[in-house]
Amino acid sequence: MSRDVQKLIERAHTQAHHQHLHGAIETLRQALTLDADNAHAHALLAVCLHDQKRLHAADYEARAALALDPELTFAHYAMATVSIAQRRFKVAEDHLNAALGLEPNNPSLLRSLAHLYGLWGRPGKVLPLLEKAREMDPDDAATWAALAEHHREQRDFKQAEALARRALEIDPENSDALLTMGFLLLARNETQEAREHALIVLRNNSLHEGAIALLAAVKARQSPLLGLWWRFNSFFGGGSMTRRVVLLIGTYLTYRALVIALDDSGYEQAGGWLQLAWLGFCIYTWVGPAVFQKQLRKELEPAALSAKY
């Protein structure tokens, strides 16, 4: 690899790290003009295109990288990243395992595999991988942040906060840790603090979807229309699938038991009102997510932050 190409790839990595994706793609095109068979450039281009949600082009570039160098760890990582977005989880798993075969102690690859298993509905495999990643590099803020988010999803909020704070001690601007902390603060109704965490992330990347989602969640939490739905979703949405199923079935059975008890006690009218209330509750929880998604899409529209931020 020529020195000019190497410098261009390094510049593209820096641009991609700061989410200047258009610039990174243009830089990589320059590199590939000089060296069309550079597997690393193709792999990085695949990741950048993935981040722009141009999955067809990203898949093409990832395949090109693997064809040029099947032993390149980053090429397998790029293919796994694209495959996860395409929900081809088995393909992604194969490529991440291939990458780990080449670099078994790479914390980033371990985190990616943990993320895959979380999406794939295999939560039991997530924590051991993240713990192993932390053993490999105890000072990697990204791993502490991933651990924090995992515990938040499992509703272990105290542990999640401790881990997020540790990540922020290592890297005060770690986006994942800031967002996990933001959602934890929001769950405690500390909406202003949660909003501030989202804005810190947006100062570094004004298009960060996680930060925009947190801002939308803050608005939903404060909204008279969506506030009750947000509390309901926060309580029922976390934890394992078993927990969610048990809670939902338990809620329905409690409702039915109350209706039967009211009818048996001669309070048929009260039972009727309860059934109407239940119907209204079901409609509300069905409409709530659609309204929230509409609000989120509105927040995701191109916009510029105020100069005071």
Side-chain angles (χ1 to χ4, degrees):
M1 182 190 308
S2 72
R3 187 171 181 81
D4 289 341
V5 172
Q6 181 63 36
K7 285 183 178 180
L8 287 168
I9 291 175
E10 290 173 0
R11 184 196 303 170
H13 269 290
T14 301
Q15 292 170 315
H17 176 73
H18 292 289
Q19 291 299 301
H20 182 19
L21 298 176
H22 179 73
I25 289 170
E26 289 304 313
T27 300
L28 289 167
R29 283 175 176 165
Q30 293 176 37
L32 290 168
T33 299
L34 298 173
D35 181 4
D37 293 333
N38 189 294
H40 194 104
H42 281 286
L44 181 55
L45 182 55
V47 173
C48 292
L49 290 167
H50 161 271
D51 291 348
Q52 283 194 333
K53 296 182 171 54
R54 297 164 61 184
L55 296 184
H56 181 76
D59 183 76
Y60 177 86
E61 293 296 334
R63 292 178 187 276
L66 281 170
L68 289 165
D69 189 352
E71 298 299 311
L72 180 64
T73 302
F74 192 58
H76 285 286
Y77 169 80
M79 191 72 251
T81 299
V82 176
S83 297
I84 289 173
Q86 296 171 328
R87 302 194 69 79
R88 296 186 299 153
F89 294 149
K90 184 63 176 69
V91 173
E93 181 187 39
D94 290 342
H95 283 287
L96 285 173
N97 283 328
L100 282 166
L102 296 166
E103 294 184 24
N105 296 327
N106 186 319
S108 177
L109 295 174
L110 291 167
R111 288 195 303 271
S112 295
L113 190 57
H115 173 66
L116 166 64
Y117 286 135
L119 293 174
W120 206 349
R122 300 182 179 183
K125 292 189 174 185
V126 174
L127 188 57
L129 288 166
L130 293 178
E131 293 288 3
K132 184 177 179 181
R134 180 166 58 174
E135 289 175 11
M136 295 300 101
D137 187 354
D139 295 323
D140 190 338
T143 299
W144 288 90
L147 280 163
E149 181 60 17
H150 172 71
H151 283 282
R152 186 183 77 85
E153 290 175 351
Q154 298 302 311
R155 301 188 64 79
D156 186 353
F157 299 142
K158 183 177 180 180
Q159 181 70 355
E161 181 171 346
L163 292 163
R165 291 190 183 280
R166 175 57 182 149
L168 292 171
E169 287 175 7
I170 299 170
D171 179 6
E173 294 191 353
N174 182 278
S175 298
D176 293 334
L178 284 166
L179 293 177
T180 294
M181 196 68 213
F183 279 108
L184 290 169
L185 290 166
L186 184 59
R188 296 205 297 256
N189 200 29
E190 298 179 31
T191 53
Q192 184 58 35
E193 292 81 355
R195 182 175 180 274
E196 289 172 0
H197 278 69
L199 291 177
I200 293 172
V201 177
L202 289 170
R203 288 189 190 105
N204 295 322
N205 177 7
S206 62
L207 298 177
H208 195 293
E209 292 192 7
I212 293 170
L214 177 55
L215 278 181
V218 169
K219 287 187 177 182
R221 180 68 176 79
Q222 295 172 324
S223 166
L225 174 63
L226 287 175
L228 181 60
W229 169 79
W230 174 255
R231 294 181 181 89
F232 168 82
N233 187 64
S234 297
F235 180 74
F236 280 87
S240 66
M241 181 61 71
T242 300
R243 173 186 178 276
R244 280 174 273 175
V245 170
V246 169
L247 284 174
L248 289 172
I249 292 176
T251 301
Y252 176 75
L253 291 178
T254 300
Y255 149 71
R256 288 302 304 161
L258 284 172
V259 170
I260 292 170
L262 288 170
D263 288 345
D264 290 346
S265 301
Y267 297 101
E268 291 87 354
Q269 187 175 5
W273 283 112
L274 182 58
Q275 291 185 63
L276 286 175
W278 176 261
L279 178 61
F281 169 75
C282 291
I283 293 173
Y284 179 70
T285 56
W286 178 67
V287 171
V291 176
F292 178 74
Q293 288 299 322
K294 181 179 179 180
Q295 181 171 302
L296 180 56
R297 285 194 296 272
K298 182 180 179 181
E299 296 289 342
L300 285 169
E301 291 174 356
L305 287 179
S306 168
K308 69 180 180 179
Y309 297 127

